[in-house]
Each structure stands twice: as structure tokens, then as C-alpha cells.
Amino acid sequence: MTFSVTILGSSSALPTSKRFPSAHVLNVHERLFLIDCGEGTQIQLRRFKLPMNRINHIFLTHSHGDHVLGIFGLISTFNLLGRKSDLHVYGVADFEDIFYKNIDYFTDQLSFKVIYHVVDPFKVETIYSDKHVVVTTLPLRHRVPTVGYLLREAPRPLNIRKELIAKYNLSLAEIVKIKNGSDYTLNNGTVIPNAELTYISSLPRSYAYCSDTLYSERLVGLVKNVDLLYHEATFLHSDLRLARLTGHSTAQQAATVALKAGVGKLLIGHFSSRYKNEKDLQREAQEIFPATEVVNDGLTFSVEPKSTY
Amino acid sequence: MTFSVTILGSSSALPTSKRFPSAHVLNVHERLFLIDCGEGTQIQLRRFKLPMNRINHIFLTHSHGDHVLGIFGLISTFNLLGRKSDLHVYGVADFEDIFYKNIDYFTDQLSFKVIYHVVDPFKVETIYSDKHVVVTTLPLRHRVPTVGYLLREAPRPLNIRKELIAKYNLSLAEIVKIKNGSDYTLNNGTVIPNAELTYISSLPRSYAYCSDTLYSERLVGLVKNVDLLYHEATFLHSDLRLARLTGHSTAQQAATVALKAGVGKLLIGHFSSRYKNEKDLQREAQEIFPATEVVNDGLTFSVEPKSTY
């Protein structure tokens, strides 16, 4: 089952010729979830051949232009393509008014519903779940209300050990009960615990997106044991003062979050355009957390169980 | 003296992986003038290494998203770069309110002034001029109020024939008068007409941008003898019905405007994404007007006197 993230935009506030503003797209079992929607997101979706009609949920972290200015064009394009299915957009309260004003202005007779869900940037809440994925908010510390997102695969149904079906001559009804977690009682009264009857084919995988934010100890607790963590690293640690001033993190701080949280792998991006060599940021992070990779537009990272990284 | 246009975006409403939404940038004697500002304009300016700080004037044709949605990000970037000089934006009245609302929302403490000039889409008016260029509006026929722009080099100062300065022993004051167009009267009363005393080093060159529009006879008159004409060609003529329905032109119609107006060269673009082969559109136009070229993002066309095309 696919669980991967494709980087559509990886610049900080100033895009460069190689890095578009922020946007990540998650493929969870062939359904796409967009996180942030910087200018040019629709162009990147086309360039990287990602079927945009599979996006039904867009999660916005905050209202700064480099994270949201692509959403009006994207929705306009959905409309021109005759989209029918509802589009759910999640974001902070402050963005709702200007969001709807722009949608009203730039689209004629929307062919589908756009539903804006206000998320509380100070609470940890499950804001969306279906049978494939559970999405939880991660309060971040930026200059404006900002929220990260944790996407975790929904727990998989239990698998029954096939050889036991014959051994105990289980009926369909009994199988369903066991798959739902029940123990099984033999005719002689012996109870076979569920754990002996079933197995889990794989553990739910998880991906966390944390941009933009100051270093946050609270966040460490919230992304504990996440398989794949994206954490912004706008600055080198030698520019810590700037990071603090602008509400951002250094590569060293991103790596410290990854280390303390014991994640499987760390992705860093959102580099200030002042740095010409991203290797410096990578090196700084890897000194603390070796399993760090730099993101670039167009790269896809598979989310794997942390033990396999 | 440079006079050229670089294509930043050449798609119609739906961008493709190769074509960004509409934006052209004019280099007139090393000062840049932007016409339309589709999503991603700031990224294209960086990609094609055009110094965005030289843009002081942005001319918007109409309020559809594929022509304007890049302006909020561009202005935001100007602000982050600490721009000081005024930015003049020209567009239809209807766009002014949402324009300022977005600028207010997406920028903190603007470091420069943004002045929105309302243009009348039904009148032919000179809306801007300096010593290098004169900009005139071209009323177009689209679904919403839409205006094209004609950029013509300002008339060059007259050059005095050097050999006559000695011959008539002209004083500095007399030279200035002659350069300003006066005739010269000899001591014996003979009048030497200005045309014999001066010459024009080169004729002012002109570029017209016409998108989006239905075929317009009035426009033919307005772009008469223009050196370089960009005219949208969203459809093939076999799809004329669609062109009429959506307020656009066919390649054949664009070429007919060029032919009737006797322009030097025609550029076509803004093709519907339904056409996989742009050669079909080029061929259709060239059958009527051979000096037709298809625009692509990143191409630069020098504006030359029409006689040289």
C-alpha cells in the first residue's frame, strides 16, 4: 500500500528558480492529500504527473502567502475541469474570510462545494480520519497562528491465522468476531486469546509536516517515533538570532527534534535563499541526526516503518 | 537600444507542465514593464534571470485569475527584498478592491507604495509615458472588461546634420532650436526647412499585446502597422463556436488581424490545453499571415522595425 510524500515546493518565503514555495502532497493508498499550497502548486502537480482530481483534502499550516497563494488558482482549475466532489480545506480561522473572498472573486459558478474547516492552532486534535488515514494537528510556534499535521495510517484490520480456521472449524461469524478483536472459547471452555489467533500484517506508518516553527519541546513529544518527519530548517545555527527573530528553526534544531523524538528519518527544507549550498544545512543536521535528507522539488519519499530506515 | 519581449507564461486558463499562465515582460531600454501577471510570474522572472527590481509598472488586461494571480506573491517578494520605489499597477476598476484586500492581507508594512491606476477598457488612452516609451490602451472584447496594451518607443529627438553646423556656423542656441523642430533662416532671408537640417536615426518601434479577445475589427485599426503584435489564438478555427462562446480568438482570426493591420510580425499563444500539437495552430495562422511565430515560456523576441521582418 503506497504511503509517500512528493515535494512540490521547498523554498522559504522567497522562491528560487529551482524551488517553488511550500507544498507537499501525500499519497496514502492512492488518495492524495495536499499540505500547504504555495504559488505554482497546480503547475508542479502537472509537472510531476500527480492526478489533481484525487485531492479532496488540503491542509494549510498558516496564512503566509508562500504557503497558500497557490490555492486560488488550483481551485479555479478544478472548476474549469468540471470537478464534482467536495473539496475540504483545513486552516486557521484568520484565513477563512480572505479565502472565501478570493474563491468568490476568481471562480464563476463553482461546480463543487468548497468547505473550509477551521483548525485550532493551539490544540492537538484529530481533524480528519477515514479507513486509510488519521490526520492530527501539531501546534507550532511561528509569528502567526500555525499548525503542523501528522498523517498516520489507520490501524489495519487484524488478520486471522489461516491454519486455525480449519483447526477450530471456525464459522464465518466467528471469524468476523475474531478479526474484530474477540478471543475464542473452545467447546471444552478453553479460551484462546485473540493475540494467538491473529496477526498484524504491518504497523501503521506516519508522516509529520512541521513548517514554519521555532524549536519546540512540545513538538518533540507530539512527533515521538514518527516514521518520517519533515521539519523546516530555514537557517544555519550560526544564524540562530535570525531564526528566532523570524520564528523559524535552524538545521541543528530540526535535527534535535528528530533525535529526541526518535523518528525514523528526517527531511529538511524551507532554506533561506541566502544559502547557496544546501550541503551546509544537511551537514549541520546530519551531525546530530545522520538519517537526514534535504528535500528538492519533485522528489518522492516513501514513508517506511522507522525500523527500516 | 533594447526593445524586446520575454514570454513568462503562455498558457490559456489551464496551465500545463510547460506553459505557465499569462505574463509578458517588456524590456524597453533596460527598464522592465510587465504585462499580465499569472501565477508563477515571480518564479519565471528568476528562472529567466530578469531583474525584477527593474519592474516599476505592471499592466493587467483583466481580472481573470490566469492573468493576475501571480501579483500578490510578486508584491510580497518585492516587500521581502526591501523595495523602496513606487510600484504602479494598471488594471480595470473591478479588480481594484480585491487587489488591495489581498495586498493588505499578504504583506506586512509595505516598504514601498503600490498605486493602482484604473484604466477604462472601452477607451483608447495614453495611460503612461516617459522619455522612452508611450503606453496606450487597446479595448478588447472578452467576457469581462478587458484591455490590451500598445507600447511604442517615444519619438527620438531629431539629429542635426553635423556638416551643416559648420556650413551655417550655428550657435548652440540655434542647434537646440533646430533639434526641437524649427526651421533655420539664413542672413539673406532664405529659410532652410527643418527636414533638410535634421534626420531621425530610427523610427519608434512598437509592440501590442492583445489577450483575451474575440476577433475585433476595431482592434485592426488600433494596431495598424505595429512592428510586433501578440494576439491570442486560443482555438483552431474549426472550434470557432467555442471561441465565440468563451470570448476568444482562433489562430485564423489572429492572423487576419495581423494581415489587415499590416503588422511586421505576429506572435500567437494562449492555446487551449486541448491541442496537443501547437504546429496546427501555427500552420493555420501562417496560411494567412506567414510571419507568425508561436510563443513559448522563456523565449525572447526583439521588437524590430516592421520593414526588417
Side-chain angles (χ1 to χ4, degrees):
Chain A
M1 298 289 249
T2 308
F3 189 16
S4 64
V5 56
T6 299
I7 314 302
L8 302 179
S10 58
S11 79
S12 59
L14 293 176
T16 68
S17 58
K18 288 188 191 133
R19 294 182 182 275
F20 277 53
S22 294
H24 283 197
V25 67
L26 275 286
N27 178 329
V28 187
H29 307 183
E30 302 313 324
R31 294 157 76 244
L32 302 185
F33 297 84
L34 189 59
I35 308 186
D36 278 341
C37 190
E39 184 176 350
T41 292
Q42 63 167 326
I43 294 162
Q44 299 290 68
L45 285 166
R46 283 192 189 271
R47 179 180 289 167
F48 305 134
K49 301 194 190 315
L50 294 157
M52 56 174 83
N53 59 344
R54 289 205 196 141
I55 297 173
N56 294 321
H57 303 273
I58 302 177
F59 302 100
L60 303 175
T61 58
H62 63 301
S63 60
H64 282 161
D66 58 319
H67 291 253
V68 300
L69 276 173
I71 201 164
F72 312 124
L74 180 63
I75 288 179
S76 192
T77 288
F78 280 149
N79 200 36
L80 287 168
L81 295 172
R83 180 189 175 103
K84 292 288 171 236
S85 34
D86 293 354
L87 180 72
H88 297 271
V89 179
Y90 302 77
V92 294
D94 176 66
F95 187 58
E96 185 174 12
D97 181 56
I98 194 86
F99 171 77
Y100 277 124
K101 274 202 177 75
N102 277 300
I103 299 305
D104 284 350
Y105 189 85
F106 289 111
T107 54
D108 283 339
Q109 298 167 310
L110 266 186
S111 61
F112 59 102
K113 265 197 229 162
V114 177
I115 303 129
Y116 191 89
H117 303 266
V118 172
V119 300
D120 184 334
F122 303 106
K123 280 193 185 153
V124 178
E125 282 180 313
T126 293
I127 52 164
Y128 174 77
S129 67
D130 62 24
K131 63 179 178 172
H132 301 288
V133 67
V134 179
V135 183
T136 310
T137 49
L138 303 169
L140 300 178
R141 293 171 57 206
H142 193 39
R143 305 197 301 279
V144 295
T146 302
V147 62
Y149 294 98
L150 172 65
L151 281 83
R152 192 184 293 278
E153 284 180 302
R156 303 273 175 84
L158 294 168
N159 293 283
I160 196 158
R161 293 184 190 281
K162 293 236 161 47
E163 68 276 16
L164 302 184
I165 298 176
K167 183 173 174 186
Y168 299 128
N169 192 23
L170 299 174
S171 70
L172 198 60
E174 286 164 342
I175 291 171
V176 169
K177 271 192 185 171
I178 291 168
K179 280 192 165 189
N180 284 333
S182 297
D183 299 334
Y184 182 66
T185 309
L186 301 181
N187 289 339
N188 65 10
T190 312
V191 174
I192 315 287
N194 185 272
E196 283 181 26
L197 298 161
T198 60
Y199 65 96
I200 297 164
S201 56
S202 61
L203 283 170
R205 293 164 291 177
S206 53
Y207 167 81
Y209 177 96
C210 305
S211 182
D212 302 1
T213 189
L214 286 162
Y215 176 83
S216 159
E217 276 292 336
R218 184 182 181 197
L219 184 61
V220 169
L222 298 176
V223 297
K224 210 90 189 167
N225 292 321
V226 153
D227 297 306
L228 184 60
L229 168 68
Y230 167 79
H231 193 293
E232 68 122 304
T234 310
F235 294 100
L236 283 171
H237 208 68
S238 50
D239 288 321
L240 179 61
R241 199 186 57 82
L242 276 177
R244 287 199 174 133
L245 201 69
T246 56
H248 287 294
S249 296
T250 67
Q252 189 185 108
Q253 290 176 322
T256 303
V257 172
L259 180 73
K260 287 193 179 178
V263 307
K265 183 171 171 171
L266 170 67
L267 302 178
I268 55 171
H270 202 270
F271 307 136
S272 163
S273 58
R274 79 192 55 223
Y275 305 120
K276 298 306 162 220
N277 192 354
E278 63 194 27
K279 293 276 176 215
D280 295 339
L281 293 132
Q282 187 179 27
R283 206 174 301 121
E284 180 172 298
Q286 283 179 338
E287 276 175 23
I288 304 219
F289 192 79
T292 301
E293 270 196 63
V294 160
V295 300
N296 279 299
D297 295 11
L299 289 183
T300 295
F301 299 89
S302 181
V303 183
E304 303 291 346
K306 64 170 274 198
S307 59
T308 64
Y309 280 122
Chain B
M1 298 287 249
T2 308
F3 189 15
S4 65
V5 56
T6 299
I7 314 302
L8 302 180
S10 58
S11 78
S12 60
L14 292 177
T16 68
S17 58
K18 287 185 191 136
R19 295 181 182 277
F20 277 54
S22 293
H24 283 198
V25 66
L26 275 286
N27 178 327
V28 187
H29 307 182
E30 303 311 326
R31 294 158 74 244
L32 302 185
F33 297 85
L34 188 59
I35 309 184
D36 279 340
C37 190
E39 184 176 350
T41 291
Q42 62 166 327
I43 294 162
Q44 299 290 68
L45 285 166
R46 284 193 188 269
R47 180 181 290 168
F48 305 134
K49 302 194 190 314
L50 294 158
M52 56 175 82
N53 59 345
R54 289 206 196 141
I55 297 173
N56 294 320
H57 303 273
I58 302 177
F59 302 100
L60 303 174
T61 58
H62 64 300
S63 60
H64 282 160
D66 57 320
H67 291 253
V68 301
L69 276 173
I71 201 164
F72 312 124
L74 180 63
I75 288 178
S76 192
T77 287
F78 281 149
N79 200 36
L80 287 169
L81 295 173
R83 180 190 175 105
K84 293 285 172 237
S85 34
D86 293 353
L87 181 72
H88 297 271
V89 179
Y90 302 77
V92 296
D94 175 67
F95 187 58
E96 186 175 9
D97 180 55
I98 193 86
F99 171 77
Y100 277 125
K101 275 201 176 76
N102 277 300
I103 300 304
D104 284 348
Y105 189 84
F106 288 112
T107 53
D108 283 339
Q109 299 168 310
L110 265 187
S111 61
F112 59 103
K113 263 196 229 164
V114 177
I115 302 130
Y116 191 88
H117 303 266
V118 172
V119 300
D120 184 335
F122 303 106
K123 280 194 188 153
V124 179
E125 283 181 311
T126 292
I127 52 164
Y128 174 77
S129 68
D130 61 24
K131 63 180 178 171
H132 300 289
V133 67
V134 179
V135 184
T136 311
T137 50
L138 303 168
L140 299 178
R141 294 171 58 205
H142 193 41
R143 305 197 301 278
V144 296
T146 302
V147 63
Y149 294 98
L150 173 65
L151 281 81
R152 192 184 293 279
E153 283 180 302
R156 302 276 175 81
L158 295 167
N159 293 284
I160 196 158
R161 293 184 188 280
K162 294 236 161 48
E163 66 278 17
L164 301 184
I165 298 176
K167 184 174 173 185
Y168 299 128
N169 192 24
L170 298 174
S171 70
L172 198 59
E174 286 164 341
I175 291 170
V176 169
K177 271 191 185 172
I178 291 167
K179 280 192 166 188
N180 284 333
S182 297
D183 299 333
Y184 181 65
T185 308
L186 302 182
N187 289 339
N188 65 8
T190 311
V191 174
I192 315 287
N194 185 272
E196 285 181 24
L197 298 161
T198 61
Y199 65 97
I200 296 164
S201 56
S202 62
L203 283 170
R205 294 163 291 178
S206 53
Y207 168 81
Y209 177 96
C210 305
S211 183
D212 303 4
T213 189
L214 286 162
Y215 175 82
S216 160
E217 276 292 336
R218 184 183 182 196
L219 184 60
V220 169
L222 298 175
V223 297
K224 210 90 188 166
N225 292 320
V226 153
D227 298 306
L228 184 60
L229 168 69
Y230 167 78
H231 193 294
E232 68 124 301
T234 310
F235 294 99
L236 284 171
H237 208 67
S238 51
D239 289 322
L240 179 61
R241 198 187 58 81
L242 275 178
R244 287 199 174 131
L245 200 69
T246 56
H248 287 294
S249 295
T250 67
Q252 190 186 108
Q253 290 177 321
T256 303
V257 171
L259 180 74
K260 288 192 178 179
V263 307
K265 183 171 172 173
L266 171 66
L267 303 178
I268 56 171
H270 202 271
F271 307 136
S272 162
S273 58
R274 79 193 55 222
Y275 305 121
K276 298 305 162 221
N277 192 352
E278 63 193 29
K279 293 275 176 217
D280 295 339
L281 292 131
Q282 187 178 28
R283 206 174 300 120
E284 180 172 296
Q286 283 180 337
E287 276 175 22
I288 303 217
F289 192 78
T292 301
E293 272 196 62
V294 160
V295 301
N296 279 299
D297 294 11
L299 289 183
T300 295
F301 299 89
S302 182
V303 183
E304 303 291 347
K306 65 170 274 198
S307 59
T308 64
Y309 279 123

